[in-house]
Structure formats: C-alpha cells, structure tokens
Amino acid sequence: MVSSTLAMTTFKYYCMLFYLSNSLIFEDSDADGQDIMLSVMNLVNQAINRIHFLLGDYDAICFFRNKFKGTAFIGTFFNSIYQNWATESVPSFINYYIEVTRSDNSTSENEGIIVNRISYNNFMDNDRLQSTIVLGEHYNDAEFFEHILNFYISKNVRNANYSMHPMPGNGKQTKDIIRKELALKHLLVCIVDTDKKYPTDTPKADSTYSLCAAIPQNQIYHFMALEVHEVENLIPLNYIDNLPWSQYNSADRVNKKHFDYLRNDANHILPYYDYKSGIRKNQELLSSQEYMAFAEECFNLDEELTNQYHSFSAYVSTKNNKDELLYKLFSGSFLITHTLEMIKGHSQPTEPELLPFQEHNWNMIGSTLLNWCIAESKDAMI
C-alpha cells in the first residue's frame, strides 16, 4: 500500500467517500442490527486508518454516535463528525461516492455527481474495504499513474492524502486479474491504453483493451481507456529530454534524434506513435491506407529521411518486409522504467511540459484516482 500527503492548505480531503444513510437506523429488535453495527465499525476503522472517509446523514451520525458511545476510537470518531456536521459536506471535487444503505442497490446521477447506493452487508468483510487497487496493463504503469495523481493533486486540490494499492498488470492476462479482484469484491480501477497506431485505428478484438473492456463495470470497479497507443506516450517530452542520454549508446542517440523530428507535429503524431517499435514495413502497414498515410506524415517530418529520399514510396521500396521504416525510441520497458527511476530520485524537471493530448489524459487519470483513492488528511483529528 502506498500513501502520500501534499500539505498545502489546512483543508480536509477525503477518500473513496462512504456516506451513511438514515436507512441504516434500526430498532433494538431488528434482526440485522448487529450486522449493520459490524459494517459501520469496519467503515469507521478504515477511515481512522486513513484508507477511506466517512460522512453521513445527520440522524444516522447521531444514531451511531450514541450506539458507539464509550467505544475507544470509534466513539471519538463519531463525536468528531457530529460536532463538525454543519460544516462537513461532500467535497466539490468529488463526483463519485458510495452511499451505504439498508437494502437499496442502485445508481443515480445528479449534476455530474454519481451516487452508488450499496447495501451495508457488502461491507461486513473488512477485506472488501482495503485501499483501492489501481491496476495497469504492464508492470510499471500503476506507479506512473501515481506520479500523475500527485501532480494533479498539487495543481487542483492541495493538502490531499491518498491511499492506493498499485498493482502490475500482465498484458492480455490483465483481464484475469480483474476477474479475480471482482470475485473478491475489492475496490478496483483498471487503466489500459488502446494500442491505436494512427488516429482512425480501432482496437483489435484480442487486444488487452478489448478483452478488459468486455468485463462489465460495477459500483466498485471502474475501467478507463487511455486515448493513446501506450502509457509511454503520456511521458512529458521534457522528462524524456532529461534522461542521461550521454550514458546511452550511439544507436539510442540516433533514435532520439529521429524521434525529435516528430515534435514538429507532436499533438497529432505522438498520441499514436509506437515509441517501442517505431513503424515497420509489414502487412498491417501495407494493407491500411490510413496507417500508410500516418507513416508518410511521420516520414515528411524527418528532415534526414526527406533529404535522402525524394518520396515516402521511394523510401519504402528500399526496405524489406519487417524492416524498421521509422525509428523507435526505446525497446521494451526501458523508457518507463528509467523515467520512474528519475522520478523516484526526484531528478525529473520541476514542471512537466504537457502536450494538449497528454494534459487531457493526465487530468482524466488524476480526477478518477482522486475520487477512488483520496483518504482522510493525516492532519485531521479523529
């Protein structure tokens, strides 16, 4: 589990927010009273541990304040909510939360705020209330999403504490991880890319995106598709420039020089360009007019290639099947691994220089993780 705090103001901010409804109030003779108490106790304990946050209707807060009076920590917790109830409300930046009910299981939306009503008996097992799992498609993806969340908080919310469990995916087997976590009823956010190689490309039926998108979302599971070829496309260019290029081999520096030509039309080209493989002469390329047109746009940006070849078709004719036409940046996980090493060493540029498409996706990731992972401030009094 990873937790982080950015202390900028004295405001309190909350987690995947749980809201106790008045429907949970019970009579002493009610058969489900003890089960309701157990569920509420589990929710409070996770709030005290800065994993989630709890608010509620006034009557419900008064009821449980009385029920837990004299109970260590839990009684103090409800007393604190009661004393501050008039000033406590669902924060304006939250647009998704769970309302804990007696039996209602439904979803509603009002003015952009989604409220999922879930019966208390889903929270009788404390294991279902652990930190939200953030699942990426590959090994390092979730760690990079955490960096994006930190940046989003620093720019938009301030003083926010979060609790998340970054989990590595496994390519197409990511779908199996989703199904396993859903069976355990864990809170889960899965973020994958679309693998699109050009603007009008559509995801393949057997792609990780398609396999994961086929799994229905529910009240405790959110699926997000990034509008880029791969997560690497979201790495800011000034982060890439800041890598220790002098330590890399000459072939890497040649790749970087050719990659930099694409910056002249970065917002159009770089969402879809394959940083790991470049563009190769293969059947996928030759059979798609749209892909060929995109490759030609990339070729036209490369001054060295256009100086050497009078046309894209002439250049293609010099290559054999499966040859590289347009240069990769790095193979495999090298780029994201070394970017994360730079971030962990706090040696990345102070401010990411985001292209418009990157800013859109960073905001989408940050906003979603803020709703699902924000936890009670460590400075708050419990």
Side-chain angles (χ1 to χ4, degrees):
M1 184 182 74
V2 179
S3 294
S4 176
T5 300
L6 293 164
M8 304 294 289
T9 74
T10 57
F11 297 135
K12 290 167 58 180
Y13 291 105
Y14 317 114
C15 171
M16 160 60 77
L17 193 152
F18 290 86
Y19 192 94
L20 303 180
S21 74
N22 283 336
S23 67
L24 295 172
I25 297 173
F26 59 86
E27 300 292 336
D28 290 341
S29 58
D30 289 352
D32 56 359
Q34 290 304 309
D35 290 342
I36 293 174
M37 290 285 283
L38 174 61
S39 298
V40 171
M41 183 174 65
N42 286 338
L43 287 162
V44 172
N45 281 330
Q46 297 303 71
I48 291 172
N49 288 325
R50 313 294 198 251
I51 292 174
H52 298 301
F53 191 80
L54 209 58
L55 291 176
D57 289 327
Y58 180 77
D59 289 345
I61 297 301
C62 292
F63 176 79
F64 290 110
R65 175 178 178 249
N66 183 63
K67 283 291 184 182
F68 286 103
K69 184 184 298 184
T71 304
F73 300 112
I74 298 178
T76 303
F77 175 87
F78 273 112
N79 196 52
S80 177
I81 297 181
Y82 170 79
Q83 292 175 350
N84 294 284
W85 190 88
T87 58
E88 295 280 13
S89 62
V90 176
S92 60
F93 65 83
I94 290 291
N95 54 39
Y96 178 95
Y97 66 90
I98 290 173
E99 181 176 326
V100 185
T101 68
R102 188 74 164 259
S103 59
D104 184 21
N105 288 279
S106 63
T107 300
S108 64
E109 182 174 353
N110 183 31
E111 297 182 352
I113 299 176
I114 297 173
V115 180
N116 276 307
R117 296 175 182 84
I118 302 179
S119 173
Y120 72 90
N121 54 22
N122 286 280
F123 308 115
M124 291 172 61
D125 183 351
N126 198 51
D127 182 62
R128 298 178 183 178
L129 289 168
Q130 301 306 307
S131 298
T132 300
I133 294 168
V134 178
L135 175 65
E137 184 174 347
H138 298 294
Y139 185 78
N140 291 317
D141 292 0
E143 291 186 37
F144 185 60
F145 300 147
E146 183 183 2
H147 175 66
I148 292 174
L149 173 59
N150 271 320
F151 176 74
Y152 184 88
I153 289 172
S154 71
K155 294 298 180 183
N156 296 280
V157 181
R158 313 296 179 89
N159 195 42
N161 180 55
Y162 66 82
S163 181
M164 61 180 280
H165 177 189
M167 181 175 287
N170 188 22
K172 293 181 181 180
Q173 278 65 55
T174 302
K175 69 181 189 305
D176 300 324
I177 300 174
I178 295 172
R179 291 196 175 100
K180 175 185 175 182
E181 298 303 328
L182 287 178
L184 294 170
K185 297 189 176 182
H186 289 161
L187 295 168
L188 173 65
V189 176
C190 178
I191 306 175
V192 303
D193 52 63
T194 59
D195 288 327
K196 293 174 67 172
K197 294 184 176 181
Y198 51 92
T200 57
D201 195 12
T202 55
K204 308 297 185 292
D206 64 344
S207 68
T208 301
Y209 163 80
S210 296
L211 295 172
C212 294
I215 301 173
Q217 298 181 69
N218 61 33
Q219 294 169 313
I220 58 171
Y221 165 55
H222 181 71
F223 174 77
M224 175 187 294
L226 301 176
E227 299 167 16
V228 292
H229 178 68
E230 292 180 320
V231 170
E232 282 81 355
N233 299 68
L234 295 181
I235 297 175
L237 294 180
N238 62 330
Y239 283 27
I240 295 175
D241 291 340
N242 201 58
L243 292 171
W245 288 97
S246 63
Q247 300 174 21
Y248 301 156
N249 62 43
S250 58
D252 291 332
R253 291 193 291 272
V254 168
N255 289 345
K256 173 63 160 58
K257 180 173 63 173
H258 285 277
F259 175 82
D260 284 346
Y261 288 123
L262 302 178
R263 295 184 179 204
N264 292 321
D265 196 9
N267 201 56
H268 173 64
I269 298 295
L270 293 186
Y272 312 105
Y273 195 79
D274 190 336
Y275 288 21
K276 297 177 182 178
S277 301
I279 297 178
R280 293 184 173 274
K281 182 179 179 179
N282 55 27
Q283 186 58 36
E284 182 181 13
L285 176 70
L286 298 176
S287 63
S288 170
Q289 291 183 344
E290 293 91 345
Y291 194 11
M292 283 286 283
F294 180 75
E296 185 169 5
E297 290 180 280
C298 297
F299 168 83
N300 289 334
L301 292 169
D302 192 315
E303 294 178 8
E304 294 184 37
L305 293 178
T306 54
N307 286 336
Q308 187 174 356
Y309 300 94
H310 66 83
S311 70
F312 179 59
S313 59
Y315 175 55
V316 173
S317 69
T318 67
K319 298 293 185 177
N320 295 319
N321 187 45
K322 297 185 180 179
D323 279 355
E324 186 178 71
L325 287 172
L326 294 152
Y327 294 75
K328 66 178 177 291
L329 187 55
F330 286 114
S331 298
S333 62
F334 186 96
L335 176 58
I336 193 163
T337 298
H338 284 255
T339 298
L340 286 170
E341 288 177 358
M342 179 174 63
I343 291 169
K344 291 173 184 176
H346 306 288
S347 59
Q348 81 275 15
T350 303
E351 188 83 5
E353 296 174 1
L354 300 173
L355 295 163
F357 83 87
Q358 293 175 327
E359 183 176 20
H360 169 73
N361 281 278
W362 275 46
N363 284 337
M364 185 169 63
I365 293 167
S367 176
T368 297
L369 295 186
L370 185 62
N371 277 278
W372 285 75
C373 299
I374 289 298
E376 174 67 78
S377 169
K378 291 180 181 178
D379 296 327
M381 181 182 71
I382 298 294

